[in-house]
Amino acid sequence: IGKALRDNDGPHVDMLYGASDFGRLKSHIGRRFYALGRGITYADIHDGADLEVDLNPILAKAFYSKTLPHEHNIDTDAPGFDKHYNRHFFGTEAQYLKIPKHIPYFYYMRTWDRSDETPISHTEDFDYDSYYLGTGSRGELFIPNLRYFNEWIWERGKSRLSRSIDSARIKAWAVDLGLEYYFLFVTHPVLKLQFAHGSGDKDRISVTNTTNGNRFGNDKNFLYFGHFTNGGYALNARLSNINVYKIGLTLKPLERISLERFKNTLWAGIRDVTLGADYYIFRKSNSQGGISDRRGSHVLHNIGMEFDLFLTWRVTSDLNWSFQWANFKPGSAFNPERDHERFLSTSLTWGF
């Protein structure tokens, strides 16, 4: 019976937490969303507690959290990866709020693997204990409506060598840079430029797992516990051993349409339709290493190109529709026989 209970995957509570607000001091405890910086290093719904203090002009926060019961291990080769993941996180972040049009910030996070992993043999272990220093800023540059963001992340700690109990020093880093220009004429286009880099390890086939991971020397693979949202819909790349170049455009093509004929119908919110397109170029940071798509194993830099289209429509005040389509064209890092990879998704969200 005990084993059956441990294997049970539900029911689960998505989020449940308590909050307190004492003016300059706020806190939460329970299952909720925790994040640092742009959410690359860490962003997830976990069990924990946080504290936020307004020290004008500094806004500071700290949290302690752990993974959820039955959450899958990021290392899918670890024994019991799908039932017994137990990772703990501690993070702190400070933002400076007194520079006009700029918000610089700094954060620190440490994470420990406390999973009860029974090694397959006495010659293999799976611990990955890392810490991160991050700094960045966001705001407006030079001219009105030109906004920017940047975040630089350095990762250190210890990982295990592939098929070994020996450890290696982690020496990895990442950067995410972007510019956005908001035009003021009809349809209000937004032009976006972005570059992101995640360091890689020439030894690794897998960017997340210990097995087929780093075999010798320092571990230079950037491994994180958040979300990189600009890896393309189809390739869906992790920010590990990769350089990402992106140009995008969004606009509201129907914002000037007359609403008289659509009044009191579902089409009344048609002016809120947002249409966008993104073009990506993906290249390996280290041509000898693997990427999150293990099929890109050729010792060449060119991962490929991707074109994404998306549409969002706020149909009513509480109903939203979204549509995404993408086409990924593999580069020379993949087998020549691999065809284009396409992605299609649509969803309706009702909020109440």
Side-chain angles (χ1 to χ4, degrees), residues 3-46:
K3 184 179 186 300
L5 290 174
R6 288 195 302 271
D7 285 345
N8 179 26
D9 279 335
H12 292 309
V13 175
D14 288 336
M15 286 196 290
L16 180 65
Y17 61 90
S20 59
D21 188 341
F22 301 100
R24 290 181 177 271
L25 178 65
K26 298 179 176 65
S27 65
H28 305 82
I29 184 168
R31 183 167 298 179
R32 67 184 298 267
F33 183 75
Y34 298 90
L36 285 171
R38 288 182 52 76
I40 297 174
T41 298
Y42 177 66
D44 216 330
I45 296 174
H46 281 157

Short mmCIF file of all heavy atoms in Angstrom, two decimals, residues 3-46:
data_model
loop_
_atom_site.label_atom_id
_atom_site.label_comp_id
_atom_site.label_asym_id
_atom_site.label_seq_id
_atom_site.Cartn_x
_atom_site.Cartn_y
_atom_site.Cartn_z
N LYS A 3 3.88 1.72 -1.22
CA LYS A 3 4.44 1.99 -2.55
C LYS A 3 3.39 2.55 -3.48
O LYS A 3 3.65 3.48 -4.26
CB LYS A 3 5.03 0.70 -3.15
CG LYS A 3 5.72 0.92 -4.49
CD LYS A 3 6.30 -0.38 -5.00
CE LYS A 3 7.13 -0.12 -6.27
NZ LYS A 3 6.34 0.47 -7.33
N ALA A 4 2.16 2.05 -3.39
CA ALA A 4 1.08 2.56 -4.25
C ALA A 4 0.81 4.02 -3.96
O ALA A 4 0.56 4.82 -4.88
CB ALA A 4 -0.18 1.73 -4.05
N LEU A 5 0.85 4.40 -2.67
CA LEU A 5 0.62 5.80 -2.31
C LEU A 5 1.73 6.69 -2.84
O LEU A 5 1.51 7.79 -3.31
CB LEU A 5 0.51 5.94 -0.79
CG LEU A 5 -0.76 5.36 -0.16
CD1 LEU A 5 -0.67 5.43 1.36
CD2 LEU A 5 -2.00 6.09 -0.65
N ARG A 6 2.99 6.20 -2.78
CA ARG A 6 4.11 7.01 -3.27
C ARG A 6 4.05 7.18 -4.78
O ARG A 6 4.50 8.18 -5.32
CB ARG A 6 5.44 6.35 -2.87
CG ARG A 6 5.76 6.44 -1.38
CD ARG A 6 7.23 6.13 -1.13
NE ARG A 6 7.60 4.80 -1.61
CZ ARG A 6 7.50 3.69 -0.87
NH1 ARG A 6 7.02 3.76 0.37
NH2 ARG A 6 7.86 2.52 -1.36
N ASP A 7 3.48 6.19 -5.47
CA ASP A 7 3.41 6.26 -6.93
C ASP A 7 2.20 7.07 -7.41
O ASP A 7 2.07 7.35 -8.60
CB ASP A 7 3.32 4.85 -7.52
CG ASP A 7 4.66 4.13 -7.47
OD1 ASP A 7 5.66 4.83 -7.24
OD2 ASP A 7 4.68 2.90 -7.62
N ASN A 8 1.30 7.43 -6.49
CA ASN A 8 0.11 8.15 -6.89
C ASN A 8 0.47 9.56 -7.35
O ASN A 8 1.16 10.30 -6.66
CB ASN A 8 -0.86 8.21 -5.69
CG ASN A 8 -2.13 8.98 -6.03
OD1 ASN A 8 -2.51 9.04 -7.19
ND2 ASN A 8 -2.76 9.54 -5.03
N ASP A 9 0.00 9.96 -8.53
CA ASP A 9 0.34 11.26 -9.09
C ASP A 9 -0.71 12.33 -8.81
O ASP A 9 -0.68 13.38 -9.42
CB ASP A 9 0.54 11.14 -10.60
CG ASP A 9 1.92 10.61 -10.93
OD1 ASP A 9 2.82 10.79 -10.11
OD2 ASP A 9 2.07 10.02 -12.01
N GLY A 10 -1.63 12.08 -7.93
CA GLY A 10 -2.63 13.11 -7.67
C GLY A 10 -3.60 12.68 -6.59
O GLY A 10 -3.48 11.59 -6.05
N PRO A 11 -4.56 13.55 -6.28
CA PRO A 11 -4.72 14.91 -6.82
C PRO A 11 -3.67 15.87 -6.27
O PRO A 11 -3.09 15.63 -5.21
CB PRO A 11 -6.12 15.31 -6.34
CG PRO A 11 -6.29 14.54 -5.06
CD PRO A 11 -5.59 13.22 -5.27
N HIS A 12 -3.44 16.97 -6.99
CA HIS A 12 -2.46 17.97 -6.60
C HIS A 12 -3.12 19.33 -6.48
O HIS A 12 -4.12 19.61 -7.12
CB HIS A 12 -1.33 18.07 -7.63
CG HIS A 12 -0.46 16.86 -7.69
ND1 HIS A 12 0.12 16.30 -6.58
CD2 HIS A 12 -0.05 16.10 -8.74
CE1 HIS A 12 0.84 15.25 -6.92
NE2 HIS A 12 0.74 15.11 -8.23
N VAL A 13 -2.53 20.18 -5.66
CA VAL A 13 -2.95 21.58 -5.54
C VAL A 13 -1.98 22.41 -6.37
O VAL A 13 -0.76 22.34 -6.17
CB VAL A 13 -2.92 22.04 -4.07
CG1 VAL A 13 -3.23 23.52 -3.98
CG2 VAL A 13 -3.89 21.23 -3.24
N ASP A 14 -2.49 23.19 -7.33
CA ASP A 14 -1.63 24.01 -8.17
C ASP A 14 -0.91 25.08 -7.35
O ASP A 14 0.32 25.18 -7.39
CB ASP A 14 -2.43 24.67 -9.29
CG ASP A 14 -2.86 23.67 -10.35
OD1 ASP A 14 -2.20 22.63 -10.48
OD2 ASP A 14 -3.86 23.94 -11.04
N MET A 15 -1.66 25.90 -6.65
CA MET A 15 -1.08 26.92 -5.79
C MET A 15 -1.96 27.12 -4.56
O MET A 15 -3.18 27.15 -4.68
CB MET A 15 -0.90 28.25 -6.53
CG MET A 15 0.24 28.27 -7.52
SD MET A 15 0.71 29.95 -8.05
CE MET A 15 -0.71 30.40 -9.03
N LEU A 16 -1.34 27.26 -3.41
CA LEU A 16 -2.05 27.54 -2.17
C LEU A 16 -1.05 28.16 -1.21
O LEU A 16 -0.08 27.52 -0.82
CB LEU A 16 -2.64 26.27 -1.58
CG LEU A 16 -3.42 26.43 -0.26
CD1 LEU A 16 -4.66 27.28 -0.49
CD2 LEU A 16 -3.79 25.07 0.30
N TYR A 17 -1.28 29.42 -0.86
CA TYR A 17 -0.32 30.09 0.01
C TYR A 17 -1.01 31.19 0.81
O TYR A 17 -2.10 31.65 0.47
CB TYR A 17 0.83 30.68 -0.81
CG TYR A 17 0.42 31.72 -1.83
CD1 TYR A 17 0.36 33.07 -1.51
CD2 TYR A 17 0.09 31.34 -3.14
CE1 TYR A 17 -0.02 34.02 -2.45
CE2 TYR A 17 -0.29 32.27 -4.08
CZ TYR A 17 -0.34 33.62 -3.74
OH TYR A 17 -0.72 34.55 -4.67
N GLY A 18 -0.34 31.60 1.87
CA GLY A 18 -0.81 32.72 2.67
C GLY A 18 0.08 33.92 2.45
O GLY A 18 1.27 33.78 2.15
N ALA A 19 -0.48 35.11 2.57
CA ALA A 19 0.26 36.35 2.32
C ALA A 19 0.02 37.32 3.47
O ALA A 19 -1.07 37.36 4.05
CB ALA A 19 -0.16 36.98 1.00
N SER A 20 1.05 38.09 3.79
CA SER A 20 0.91 39.15 4.78
C SER A 20 1.55 40.41 4.25
O SER A 20 2.54 40.36 3.52
CB SER A 20 1.57 38.74 6.10
OG SER A 20 2.95 38.47 5.92
N ASP A 21 0.96 41.56 4.58
CA ASP A 21 1.42 42.85 4.07
C ASP A 21 1.47 43.84 5.23
O ASP A 21 0.44 44.20 5.80
CB ASP A 21 0.47 43.35 2.98
CG ASP A 21 0.99 44.59 2.28
OD1 ASP A 21 1.86 45.28 2.84
OD2 ASP A 21 0.51 44.87 1.16
N PHE A 22 2.70 44.25 5.59
CA PHE A 22 2.89 45.22 6.65
C PHE A 22 3.48 46.52 6.11
O PHE A 22 4.37 47.12 6.69
CB PHE A 22 3.80 44.65 7.73
CG PHE A 22 3.28 43.38 8.36
CD1 PHE A 22 3.78 42.15 7.97
CD2 PHE A 22 2.28 43.43 9.31
CE1 PHE A 22 3.30 40.98 8.54
CE2 PHE A 22 1.79 42.26 9.89
CZ PHE A 22 2.30 41.03 9.50
N GLY A 23 3.01 46.93 4.93
CA GLY A 23 3.52 48.15 4.30
C GLY A 23 4.84 47.90 3.60
O GLY A 23 4.86 47.41 2.48
N ARG A 24 5.93 48.22 4.24
CA ARG A 24 7.25 48.02 3.63
C ARG A 24 7.73 46.56 3.70
O ARG A 24 8.73 46.22 3.10
CB ARG A 24 8.29 48.92 4.31
CG ARG A 24 8.11 50.41 4.02
CD ARG A 24 9.19 51.23 4.70
NE ARG A 24 9.07 52.64 4.38
CZ ARG A 24 9.65 53.22 3.34
NH1 ARG A 24 10.41 52.50 2.52
NH2 ARG A 24 9.50 54.51 3.12
N LEU A 25 7.01 45.75 4.43
CA LEU A 25 7.39 44.35 4.59
C LEU A 25 6.26 43.45 4.13
O LEU A 25 5.14 43.56 4.61
CB LEU A 25 7.72 44.06 6.06
CG LEU A 25 8.10 42.63 6.42
CD1 LEU A 25 9.41 42.24 5.75
CD2 LEU A 25 8.19 42.47 7.94
N LYS A 26 6.58 42.57 3.17
CA LYS A 26 5.59 41.62 2.65
C LYS A 26 6.19 40.22 2.72
O LYS A 26 7.40 40.04 2.58
CB LYS A 26 5.20 41.95 1.21
CG LYS A 26 4.55 43.31 1.02
CD LYS A 26 4.23 43.55 -0.44
CE LYS A 26 3.48 44.86 -0.66
NZ LYS A 26 4.31 46.03 -0.31
N SER A 27 5.31 39.23 2.90
CA SER A 27 5.79 37.85 2.95
C SER A 27 4.72 36.90 2.44
O SER A 27 3.53 37.23 2.43
CB SER A 27 6.21 37.47 4.37
OG SER A 27 5.09 37.47 5.24
N HIS A 28 5.18 35.73 2.00
CA HIS A 28 4.29 34.67 1.54
C HIS A 28 4.84 33.35 2.07
O HIS A 28 6.05 33.19 2.23
CB HIS A 28 4.21 34.60 0.02
CG HIS A 28 3.82 35.88 -0.65
ND1 HIS A 28 4.72 36.89 -0.91
CD2 HIS A 28 2.61 36.32 -1.10
CE1 HIS A 28 4.10 37.90 -1.49
NE2 HIS A 28 2.82 37.58 -1.62
N ILE A 29 3.93 32.40 2.26
CA ILE A 29 4.35 31.06 2.63
C ILE A 29 3.38 30.06 2.00
O ILE A 29 2.17 30.28 2.01
CB ILE A 29 4.42 30.87 4.16
CG1 ILE A 29 4.96 29.47 4.50
CG2 ILE A 29 3.08 31.11 4.82
CD1 ILE A 29 5.33 29.31 5.96
N GLY A 30 3.95 29.00 1.38
CA GLY A 30 3.10 28.01 0.74
C GLY A 30 3.56 27.70 -0.66
O GLY A 30 4.70 27.96 -1.04
N ARG A 31 2.65 27.16 -1.44
CA ARG A 31 2.93 26.75 -2.82
C ARG A 31 2.58 27.90 -3.76
O ARG A 31 1.41 28.25 -3.93
CB ARG A 31 2.14 25.51 -3.18
CG ARG A 31 2.41 24.97 -4.58
CD ARG A 31 1.83 23.58 -4.75
NE ARG A 31 2.44 22.65 -3.81
CZ ARG A 31 2.10 21.36 -3.72
NH1 ARG A 31 1.15 20.87 -4.50
NH2 ARG A 31 2.70 20.58 -2.84
N ARG A 32 3.60 28.51 -4.37
CA ARG A 32 3.37 29.65 -5.24
C ARG A 32 4.52 29.77 -6.23
O ARG A 32 5.45 28.96 -6.23
CB ARG A 32 3.23 30.94 -4.43
CG ARG A 32 4.48 31.37 -3.72
CD ARG A 32 4.24 32.61 -2.86
NE ARG A 32 3.84 33.76 -3.64
CZ ARG A 32 4.68 34.68 -4.11
NH1 ARG A 32 5.99 34.57 -3.90
NH2 ARG A 32 4.25 35.72 -4.78
N PHE A 33 4.46 30.82 -7.07
CA PHE A 33 5.48 31.05 -8.09
C PHE A 33 6.63 31.86 -7.50
O PHE A 33 6.43 32.94 -6.96
CB PHE A 33 4.87 31.79 -9.27
CG PHE A 33 5.82 32.02 -10.42
CD1 PHE A 33 6.18 30.98 -11.26
CD2 PHE A 33 6.36 33.27 -10.65
CE1 PHE A 33 7.05 31.18 -12.31
CE2 PHE A 33 7.23 33.50 -11.69
CZ PHE A 33 7.58 32.44 -12.53
N TYR A 34 7.85 31.33 -7.60
CA TYR A 34 9.06 32.00 -7.15
C TYR A 34 9.96 32.23 -8.36
O TYR A 34 10.03 31.38 -9.26
CB TYR A 34 9.81 31.16 -6.11
CG TYR A 34 9.02 30.89 -4.85
CD1 TYR A 34 8.21 29.77 -4.74
CD2 TYR A 34 9.08 31.76 -3.77
CE1 TYR A 34 7.48 29.52 -3.59
CE2 TYR A 34 8.35 31.52 -2.61
CZ TYR A 34 7.55 30.40 -2.54
OH TYR A 34 6.82 30.16 -1.39
N ALA A 35 10.66 33.37 -8.39
CA ALA A 35 11.51 33.67 -9.54
C ALA A 35 12.59 34.67 -9.15
O ALA A 35 12.47 35.39 -8.16
CB ALA A 35 10.67 34.24 -10.69
N LEU A 36 13.64 34.71 -9.98
CA LEU A 36 14.74 35.66 -9.84
C LEU A 36 15.02 36.31 -11.19
O LEU A 36 14.98 35.63 -12.22
CB LEU A 36 16.01 34.96 -9.36
CG LEU A 36 16.09 34.55 -7.89
CD1 LEU A 36 17.31 33.67 -7.66
CD2 LEU A 36 16.13 35.77 -6.98
N GLY A 37 15.30 37.60 -11.20
CA GLY A 37 15.70 38.29 -12.44
C GLY A 37 14.68 38.08 -13.54
O GLY A 37 13.46 38.23 -13.35
N ARG A 38 15.18 37.71 -14.72
CA ARG A 38 14.31 37.47 -15.88
C ARG A 38 13.70 36.07 -15.87
O ARG A 38 13.01 35.69 -16.80
CB ARG A 38 15.10 37.69 -17.17
CG ARG A 38 15.39 39.17 -17.43
CD ARG A 38 16.13 39.38 -18.76
NE ARG A 38 15.49 38.75 -19.90
CZ ARG A 38 14.40 39.20 -20.52
NH1 ARG A 38 13.82 40.32 -20.09
NH2 ARG A 38 13.90 38.57 -21.56
N GLY A 39 13.98 35.29 -14.83
CA GLY A 39 13.38 33.97 -14.72
C GLY A 39 14.16 32.87 -15.40
O GLY A 39 13.66 31.74 -15.50
N ILE A 40 15.36 33.15 -15.89
CA ILE A 40 16.17 32.11 -16.53
C ILE A 40 16.80 31.22 -15.46
O ILE A 40 16.64 30.00 -15.50
CB ILE A 40 17.25 32.72 -17.43
CG1 ILE A 40 16.62 33.51 -18.58
CG2 ILE A 40 18.17 31.63 -17.98
CD1 ILE A 40 17.60 34.26 -19.44
N THR A 41 17.50 31.81 -14.52
CA THR A 41 18.16 31.03 -13.48
C THR A 41 17.15 30.21 -12.68
O THR A 41 17.36 29.02 -12.43
CB THR A 41 18.94 31.96 -12.54
OG1 THR A 41 19.96 32.63 -13.29
CG2 THR A 41 19.59 31.17 -11.42
N TYR A 42 16.03 30.85 -12.31
CA TYR A 42 15.04 30.14 -11.51
C TYR A 42 13.68 30.80 -11.68
O TYR A 42 13.55 32.03 -11.54
CB TYR A 42 15.43 30.15 -10.03
CG TYR A 42 14.43 29.49 -9.12
CD1 TYR A 42 14.17 28.13 -9.21
CD2 TYR A 42 13.74 30.23 -8.16
CE1 TYR A 42 13.26 27.52 -8.36
CE2 TYR A 42 12.82 29.63 -7.31
CZ TYR A 42 12.58 28.28 -7.43
OH TYR A 42 11.66 27.67 -6.60
N ALA A 43 12.67 29.99 -11.97
CA ALA A 43 11.28 30.44 -12.04
C ALA A 43 10.40 29.20 -12.05
O ALA A 43 10.45 28.43 -13.01
CB ALA A 43 11.03 31.29 -13.27
N ASP A 44 9.63 29.00 -10.98
CA ASP A 44 8.79 27.81 -10.93
C ASP A 44 7.78 27.91 -9.78
O ASP A 44 7.95 28.74 -8.87
CB ASP A 44 9.62 26.54 -10.76
CG ASP A 44 9.04 25.37 -11.53
OD1 ASP A 44 7.81 25.32 -11.72
OD2 ASP A 44 9.83 24.49 -11.96
N ILE A 45 6.76 27.07 -9.84
CA ILE A 45 5.82 26.93 -8.73
C ILE A 45 6.36 25.87 -7.79
O ILE A 45 6.44 24.68 -8.17
CB ILE A 45 4.41 26.58 -9.23
CG1 ILE A 45 3.85 27.70 -10.10
CG2 ILE A 45 3.48 26.29 -8.06
CD1 ILE A 45 2.52 27.37 -10.76
N HIS A 46 6.76 26.27 -6.59
CA HIS A 46 7.34 25.36 -5.61
C HIS A 46 6.77 25.66 -4.23
O HIS A 46 6.09 26.67 -4.02
CB HIS A 46 8.86 25.50 -5.61
CG HIS A 46 9.53 24.78 -6.73
ND1 HIS A 46 10.79 25.11 -7.22
CD2 HIS A 46 9.12 23.72 -7.50
CE1 HIS A 46 11.12 24.31 -8.21
NE2 HIS A 46 10.12 23.45 -8.39
#
